[in-house]
Amino acid sequence: MFAVKEGKVIYKLHKHIERNSKINKKKKENYLKKNGKLDCEVCGFDFYEKYGEIGMGFMECHHRIPLHEIKEESVTFLKDLSLVCANCHRMLHRDLDTLSIEELKNKIKNSQ
Ligand SMILES: [Zn+2]
Ligand SMILES: [Zn+2]
């Protein structure tokens, strides 16, 4: 039987980068106004369509320029963000080098 120990609390020292949730909200509002729905920019997934009310207004915000690559405090514009579903977001960050939206779209296309 395969089993592992879990639950030990490990304190990691990490660089905390402040993310501004105000712009995430604004991005979603703008996208919704423009497209009439919130769907993933990579795969088209729509949380509201799939999950109903609980999924309404839900979409993750991805920084096209990874925040850890930005050395100092910088300004984020709406165009720097992409709205992606949780699955695509994980895939974008799967490798050490973050994939671009276009690269991930191509991967989906090529795998079908
Ligand atoms: Zn997606
Ligand atoms: Zn991201």
Side-chain angles (χ1 to χ4, degrees), residues 19 60-64 66 82 84 89-90 92-93 98:
R19 289 175 190 255
E60 297 194 355
C61 230
H62 171 70
H63 285 251
R64 287 171 164 270
S82 280
V84 292
H89 205 184
R90 282 295 188 93
L92 286 171
H93 292 287
T98 304

Side-chain angles (χ1 to χ4, degrees), residues 60-83:
E60 297 194 355
C61 230
H62 171 70
H63 285 251
R64 287 171 164 270
I65 309 149
L67 286 186
H68 63 88
E69 276 179 18
I70 300 168
K71 297 284 175 276
E72 283 165 48
E73 192 174 22
S74 64
V75 179
T76 304
F77 296 95
L78 288 177
K79 64 172 174 53
D80 298 331
L81 303 173
S82 280
L83 294 176

Side-chain angles (χ1 to χ4, degrees), residues 40-45 84-85 87-88:
C40 172
E41 290 181 31
V42 177
C43 73
F45 188 86
V84 292
C85 75
N87 280 348
C88 289

Side-chain angles (χ1 to χ4, degrees), residues 40-43 84-85 87-94 99-111:
C40 172
E41 290 181 31
V42 177
C43 73
V84 292
C85 75
N87 280 348
C88 289
H89 205 184
R90 282 295 188 93
M91 290 301 118
L92 286 171
H93 292 287
R94 182 87 203 267
L99 292 172
S100 72
I101 298 292
E102 291 69 29
E103 282 171 328
L104 189 58
K105 267 188 181 170
N106 279 332
K107 283 190 190 299
I108 293 175
K109 217 190 285 169
N110 294 334
S111 79

